[in-house]
Amino acid sequence: MPQRTATVVGGGIGGLAAAIALHRKGWRVEVLERAPRFTEIGAGISLWPNALRALRALGLDDTVRTLGSIEATGGLRDRKGRWLSRTDNTELRRRYGQPLVVLHRADLLRALTEALPADGLRSGSAVSAVREEDGARPVVEHSAGESRSDLVIGADGLRSTVRRTLWPDAAEPRYAGYTAWRMVTEPLAEPPAEGAAIWGRGERFGYTALPDGRMYCFATASLPPGTAPTASEHAALRHRFASWPDPVPALLAAVPADAVLRHDLYALPPLPSFVRGRVALLGDAAHAMTPNLGQGACQALEDAVTLAHCLDGTPDTTAALRSYDLARRPRTQAITRRSARLGALGQLSWPPAALLRDTAARLTPTWATLRAMTPVLGWTAPGGER
Ligand code: FAD
């Protein structure tokens, strides 16, 4: 078979992972990224055992474990700081063969780009449209010209241009009802021994260790859509969470004032298909979900590995993409729904409902919580080992 070519639109976690997966199967790949550089700013990311297994298929799980931090324990606390449940990374590893790893997004992006030939990475290339012509290979129009290839992957995120061009009837992403802040502290002399998510009423705050003493923190609050940012998101956040249990105020005090990212959270209503001819959607472009399960990027990594597996050894690209769609759509859409349900629970603001929720969480044994995650975390790479 002559060397096949792929154009990947978007150089985020999903696009780069897809490029690596195809490159390892002998494809020539170009990645078009509109940003001037391949990087992500200012936040951490949790990668669960299913993502580590996908990274193993890409030859990168050891690298990512080295770059990340693996906390021994962590869990859920209530608004007064009491533990509702605790999870043990050893138990996670025993059950699923891999731990939960948290790392800085910039480090993950660096590891992904370093696994690709530099001449295929085209930053500063904004894609404006994708044309599908009868029987011919699809064409991607971008700021530096046009690219024609055997396969186009739309990995251009929540507001995907590829999706908008080729899936004109797809519904727009829907606001989840709450906004999220993310930030990384300066290195702390004594970082908290355990990470946690704290559930309040209509608000949540989470923190987890990064390597080198920094902490990755995130917070949510139920707000009307489009609520304008304040002059200082950092000051507003310190005010909002001032009375929260330790170590929340101290963590916020250790965040540089200009290092707070805020994004309203959206999820994509289910698409009827992730593929069209020789074009496939992947990652957030296909199934943007709320971050409540920490699975958006994990699912993008699974997509990448599955896509390359479906295409391997068959010259029939469109049939391979149909297999990819069948393998990925039901799973990612179910996880999207599950994440939305968890988010609705986490954001409960009516005090009796929040109390009931917290009581249920306290009474659920850890093994039951972990077992309920098996459909998500127990994924294995197609054709791969556990
Ligand atoms: P993106 O990261 O959105 O990448 C898309 C890329 O395409 C970008 O680089 C963009 O610049 C580029 N692009 C867009 N349009 C064009 C164009 N027209 N031309 C060229 N390039 C273009 N997931 C986890 O697994 N674990 C977590 O802990 C986690 N925490 C999260 C916390 C928050 C608050 C949020 C909002 C999300 C979180 N996620 C998490 C989800 C995760 O961030 C996303 O699912 C993941 O980044 C999606 O990757 P992607 O490559 O599909 O899309």
Side-chain angles (χ1 to χ4, degrees), residues 270-324:
L271 291 174
S273 175
F274 286 178
V275 303
R276 200 188 132 144
R278 296 198 219 183
V279 181
L281 296 176
L282 177 149
D284 278 11
H287 48 67
M289 58 186 72
T290 55
N292 301 294
L293 290 168
Q295 277 290 324
C298 300
Q299 291 305 309
L301 292 166
E302 288 187 14
D303 288 346
V305 168
T306 308
L307 179 63
H309 175 79
C310 292
L311 287 158
D312 199 24
T314 169
D316 190 343
T317 304
T318 48
L321 292 196
R322 282 196 300 274
S323 307
Y324 161 76

Side-chain angles (χ1 to χ4, degrees), residues 241-265:
F241 289 96
S243 66
W244 279 50
D246 288 338
V248 175
L251 289 174
L252 285 172
V255 171
D258 59 354
V260 177
L261 300 173
R262 182 182 145 204
H263 290 100
D264 285 350
L265 297 178

Side-chain angles (χ1 to χ4, degrees), residues 6-30:
T7 300
V8 179
V9 182
I13 296 166
L16 292 171
I20 296 168
L22 291 174
H23 171 65
R24 286 168 65 90
K25 305 270 188 205
W27 288 62
R28 188 153 54 79
V29 187
E30 78 172 340

